Amino acid sequence: MEIPSTSVGNSEQIVILDAGAQYAKVIDRRVREQAVHSIILPLDTPASQIIESGYKAIIISGGPESVNSNSSPKYDPLIFSTGLPILGICYGMQLLNKVHGGTVVQKSVREDGVFDVQVNNTSPLFTGLGEEESTLLTHGDSIDRIAEGFRCIGRSTSGVVAAIDSVEKNMFGVQFHPEVDLTINGWKIFDNFLFRIAHLRGDYTMDSRKEMALAAIRKQVGDASVLTLVSGGVDSTVCTALLREALPHDRIFALHVDSGFMRKNESKSVQTALENIGVELTVTNSWDTFRNGQAMIGEEMSETLGVTVDPEVKRKIIGDTFMNICDIEVVKFGLDPTTCFLAQGTLRPDLIESASHLVSGSGNADCIKTHHNDTQLVRALRSQGRIIEPLQDYHKDEVRKLGIDLGLPEFLVWRQPFPGPGLAIRILCANHPYLPDDAPVVAKELSSVVSSFSYENESHIKNIVTTLIPCRSVGVQGDARSYKSLCALSWKGIEGCPINWPLMLQVAKEIPKRVHEINRVIFVFGEALENDLFQTITPTHLEQSVIDTLRSADAIVNEILLKANLSQKLSQVPVILFPADFGVAGKRGIALRPFITRDFMTGLPAEPGKDVDLGILHEIVRRILNEVPGIARVSYDLTSKPPATTEWE
Ligand code: XMP
């Protein structure tokens, strides 16, 4: 399936052949970031098509299959004789090796996570890199015999072939993922491939694309009217600003749905900000509709949102309710639903994500996806060509540049992403405590991970307490979604020893690797916890008072971060309310999740003391405990993605 692209123009293009990877869209992004135009096509695209279309280089992505499996994706062997430079990533490297006569086998070790790889930086692919690079590996199969004519240019610490090249054939392969943030110098590898190896010009620039987007809007809309949904996030705001540059203003109708899950004063400030750039925004007050919203789950109607605890059901109800409200508002605007257009700020990764969802059947995309981009109204309009997505060729950072170009104020353009379902997915709901089977055994395993942890300063290890928390959150590993228990760390501060944050982060990384019932680790501020296991929670649902509690905590965090000028440095800071009572009946926990990522496919927790000032953190904790009633403890999410996700549900 082809992922469309609207702006071909005269720029040079490369092709990404998709072997079913989660990460194809991230490869696409990395390439486009370097001002090279890319297109994603299926792996079995005929070589003749690649030649005819004039693509200048080929990247073969990773994929979940084994190259040795009968069900491995088909490919045209002639792609290896086109003479074009080829970069194979993960599955792509193994295919390159196999096709040229090497072997690939399933070894006893699987490598999943961040590993150091020794690289030969005399290879043109690795020019400018160090001798050892930190990379993300996720593979079960490995190269056994390297194909003739190729050489090993990288090895992981466990001895696995991590990269190969044949300078003569102009073919290169890496076992790791250079496209994700966790591979620190991955961008440099793309830079080498695109410019040193494929000698591209890098001529895919913003200016040409903005003009193309404006022309495409005018052509598609003609003299019809457009409804635009404005959440206040950067994408929908830039989309609206672009429409205003393309069309007469009286044909643009802007709607903001206040679901009741917005941040404090959010809807009001979105309205004011949009008014300031000349957009008259209609705001609905829809909390009651959402609270009483239901959705069909399979054959059955769900409970109402106000009493639902399942994260996926919550998302489904919110998505459906959004669209029902839009249907009503279209009529109120006096628009003709059979002729009007709907504009959305869909970005290129969104589009690829939903398309690759169809192609590869990956179940992962839908758990992070907002549903209000894809409902009945949207689908009906799409099939009639009445959805406008002028940002469909843009990535987040490019949208920000475009926003500045269009004269939007910096604070709007630099807003952190906020999920469509809002605070609703930052409140973990539960009727009962959740503990894994054999919880006492799991709790013992947690403490033994810490006591056996090797660290130069053993006395610091003795300060760490582990506690199994009776709540679970969503995580992601490989292609799979997980829904697992939370582990808390706390600190005894023996003889006044200050918290060792780097050590905390290392321990947090180790725990989910060793204890498979855990996908997220938090640090709990304050006195060390006394139990290795809690058994009780405060039942939690999406009720007004609960939402207000999170809204107040979230407002404190944002006020302080804004003052400290940290909003740009931290990619996103979700604040979460969860039902753990920490032994104090009726109370709940708050978690802070300062998170650093560019692609949101992978990412790291911000390190306290390095990325976030400790004084600021302590001020946040103190103010939440003093000003927000009903909070037992404030905590800090120490988990990277994977194994956790950015949001907790
Ligand atoms: P996760 O939690 O999967 O999130 O690591 C990755 C990014 O997506 C955002 N997110 C959403 N955005 N609607 C949205 O518009 C949603 O339903 C949704 N769920 C997650 C999340 O905040 C992060 O930026």
Side-chain angles (χ1 to χ4, degrees):
M1 173 169 184
E2 179 173 335
I3 305 299
S5 168
T6 50
S7 49
V8 177
N10 292 323
S11 46
E12 292 178 321
Q13 253 188 315
I14 71 148
V15 60
I16 299 166
L17 296 180
D18 183 3
Q22 263 227 68
Y23 297 126
K25 68 170 182 172
V26 196
I27 301 176
D28 177 82
R29 178 213 154 103
R30 282 285 176 268
V31 171
R32 285 169 172 243
E33 252 175 19
Q34 318 238 20
V36 172
H37 194 190
S38 52
I39 186 161
I40 302 179
L41 297 177
L43 183 60
D44 63 359
T45 304
S48 55
Q49 184 185 331
I50 292 176
I51 298 288
E52 272 159 33
S53 308
Y55 302 124
K56 302 285 183 207
I58 300 174
I59 297 181
I60 306 175
S61 80
E65 285 287 347
S66 159
V67 286
N68 297 321
S69 146
N70 290 336
S71 53
S72 62
K74 302 270 167 292
Y75 63 94
D76 177 358
L78 293 177
I79 57 174
F80 298 102
S81 330
T82 55
L84 294 173
I86 298 184
L87 171 62
I89 295 176
C90 197
Y91 181 94
M93 172 180 89
Q94 298 179 357
L95 183 64
L96 204 58
N97 189 58
K98 186 170 177 199
V99 164
H100 290 91
T103 59
V104 173
V105 296
Q106 189 172 14
K107 298 221 161 148
S108 55
V109 279
R110 256 198 82 86
E111 287 176 308
D112 281 301
V114 174
F115 291 84
D116 283 338
V117 165
Q118 308 277 351
V119 300
N120 174 349
N121 52 21
T122 64
S123 165
L125 190 65
F126 294 150
T127 304
L129 297 191
E131 282 172 4
E132 194 164 87
E133 290 291 333
S134 178
T135 70
L136 177 75
L137 281 164
T138 57
H139 67 119
D141 279 4
S142 308
I143 288 189
D144 193 36
R145 192 181 68 239
I146 296 178
E148 203 149 311
F150 283 78
R151 61 178 175 152
C152 176
I153 53 165
R155 225 172 250 289
S156 76
T157 33
S158 58
V160 166
V161 175
I164 56 171
D165 77 356
S166 166
V167 176
E168 191 200 336
K169 295 191 205 301
N170 227 4
M171 291 181 191
F172 302 81
V174 286
Q175 180 61 66
F176 54 86
H177 290 278
E179 68 275 21
V180 301
D181 289 339
L182 291 180
T183 299
I184 309 286
N185 284 319
W187 67 274
K188 183 76 193 137
I189 296 173
F190 282 104
D191 191 82
N192 286 337
F193 180 68
L194 298 171
F195 303 116
R196 267 174 202 276
I197 295 168
H199 303 292
L200 295 169
R201 293 195 295 263
D203 55 3
Y204 189 53
T205 58
M206 294 292 294
D207 292 351
S208 57
R209 295 161 65 190
K210 177 176 146 198
E211 291 312 314
M212 279 188 267
L214 291 174
I217 294 173
R218 292 189 190 110
K219 182 159 170 236
Q220 195 181 351
V221 177
D223 53 12
S225 296
V226 182
L227 173 70
T228 168
L229 298 176
V230 184
S231 65
V234 56
D235 309 341
S236 57
T237 308
V238 171
C239 172
T240 305
L242 205 55
L243 288 176
R244 286 174 58 81
E245 191 147 322
L247 301 173
H249 298 173
D250 63 351
R251 287 204 267 126
I252 305 171
F253 296 81
L255 176 68
H256 171 81
V257 175
D258 180 356
S259 56
F261 302 121
M262 304 306 285
R263 294 174 145 168
K264 191 168 175 188
N265 299 329
E266 173 80 354
S267 293
K268 190 75 214 132
S269 69
V270 169
Q271 190 169 25
T272 312
L274 269 284
E275 266 167 18
N276 287 344
I277 58 166
V279 177
E280 194 186 320
L281 191 66
T282 300
V283 179
T284 69
N285 182 347
S286 308
W287 157 237
D288 272 332
T289 317
F290 275 91
R291 184 177 43 162
N292 296 314
Q294 291 172 283
M296 287 303 288
I297 305 293
E299 304 277 282
E300 283 185 28
M301 188 54 91
S302 71
E303 295 179 299
T304 57
L305 183 62
V307 297
T308 300
V309 296
D310 181 283
E312 282 310 294
V313 178
K314 281 163 67 182
R315 280 175 173 271
K316 178 94 173 64
I317 299 174
I318 292 167
D320 284 7
T321 307
F322 247 109
M323 234 43 218
N324 294 340
I325 291 171
C326 288
D327 286 347
I328 295 166
E329 294 300 319
V330 166
V331 176
K332 281 201 202 154
F333 276 129
L335 291 172
D336 178 351
T338 61
T339 58
C340 77
F341 284 79
L342 179 71
Q344 299 200 128
T346 318
L347 304 192
R348 183 157 175 84
D350 304 334
L351 204 68
I352 295 172
E353 197 158 79
S354 48
S356 67
H357 175 58
L358 297 177
V359 181
S360 66
S362 149
N364 192 36
D366 55 4
C367 75
I368 61 165
K369 270 287 180 175
T370 170
H371 294 267
H372 54 269
N373 279 354
D374 187 27
T375 57
Q376 266 172 343
L377 175 66
V378 175
R379 277 182 223 152
L381 289 174
R382 199 187 296 280
S383 69
Q384 298 158 25
R386 287 197 286 121
I387 296 279
I388 316 175
E389 289 167 329
L391 303 178
Q392 63 169 275
D393 259 342
Y394 290 77
H395 288 274
K396 193 76 156 197
D397 43 346
E398 298 170 325
V399 170
R400 291 197 160 122
K401 276 192 218 150
L402 180 59
I404 298 281
D405 233 41
L406 289 164
L408 293 177
E410 293 254 343
F411 86 93
L412 269 183
V413 167
W414 281 106
R415 302 196 82 183
Q416 295 178 341
F418 184 65
L423 299 180
I425 56 158
R426 292 181 175 175
I427 296 172
L428 257 53
C429 298
N431 294 316
H432 311 286
Y434 170 82
L435 283 167
D437 294 343
D438 266 344
V441 177
V442 174
K444 293 235 155 26
E445 279 171 15
L446 293 174
S447 70
S448 82
V449 171
V450 172
S451 55
S452 64
F453 196 83
S454 88
Y455 192 70
E456 68 252 23
N457 196 333
E458 255 180 57
S459 68
H460 286 202
I461 299 284
K462 297 206 173 78
N463 274 290
I464 302 178
V465 177
T466 56
T467 306
L468 182 59
I469 303 291
C471 300
R472 56 182 163 169
S473 75
V474 174
V476 59
Q477 267 158 312
D479 259 344
R481 168 188 193 268
S482 68
Y483 191 30
K484 292 185 182 169
S485 296
L486 207 55
C487 166
L489 303 178
S490 51
W491 184 260
K492 286 190 197 148
I494 301 164
E495 292 173 3
C497 179
I499 302 166
N500 181 334
W501 287 104
L503 171 62
M504 285 296 169
L505 286 162
Q506 286 176 37
V507 171
K509 208 166 146 184
E510 192 63 18
I511 285 176
K513 278 192 195 158
R514 303 255 306 269
V515 186
H516 297 290
E517 288 79 3
I518 303 290
N519 64 1
R520 199 180 287 275
V521 181
I522 54 175
F523 175 79
V524 177
F525 291 98
E527 297 280 300
L529 297 170
E530 286 177 4
N531 315 31
D532 68 348
L533 172 70
F534 281 114
Q535 311 246 23
T536 55
I537 61 157
T538 299
T540 302
H541 303 100
L542 294 176
E543 295 162 8
Q544 186 70 64
S545 61
V546 174
I547 302 167
D548 286 343
T549 302
L550 177 58
R551 214 187 321 262
S552 311
D554 179 72
I556 292 172
V557 176
N558 281 296
E559 183 199 313
I560 296 176
L561 291 181
L562 202 70
K563 238 193 296 162
N565 217 358
L566 274 172
S567 300
Q568 260 191 51
K569 180 169 173 200
L570 304 172
S571 320
Q572 206 169 347
V573 188
V575 179
I576 299 102
L577 183 76
F578 59 109
D581 65 5
F582 294 92
V584 191
K587 296 213 170 191
R588 300 187 174 91
I590 284 282
L592 314 172
R593 174 125 178 85
F595 194 63
I596 299 185
T597 172
R598 291 195 317 158
D599 54 31
F600 288 97
M601 289 292 287
T602 64
L604 296 169
E607 182 177 329
K610 183 173 147 233
D611 302 312
V612 195
D613 183 82
L614 292 178
I616 287 171
L617 267 186
H618 289 137
E619 186 188 347
I620 290 177
V621 175
R622 185 181 50 74
R623 280 195 52 195
I624 290 178
L625 290 174
N626 284 343
E627 295 172 31
V628 185
I631 302 304
R633 289 292 187 116
V634 178
S635 58
Y636 191 102
D637 191 338
L638 298 169
T639 335
S640 58
K641 173 183 179 179
T645 45
T646 320
E647 306 286 351
W648 282 33
E649 318 201 301

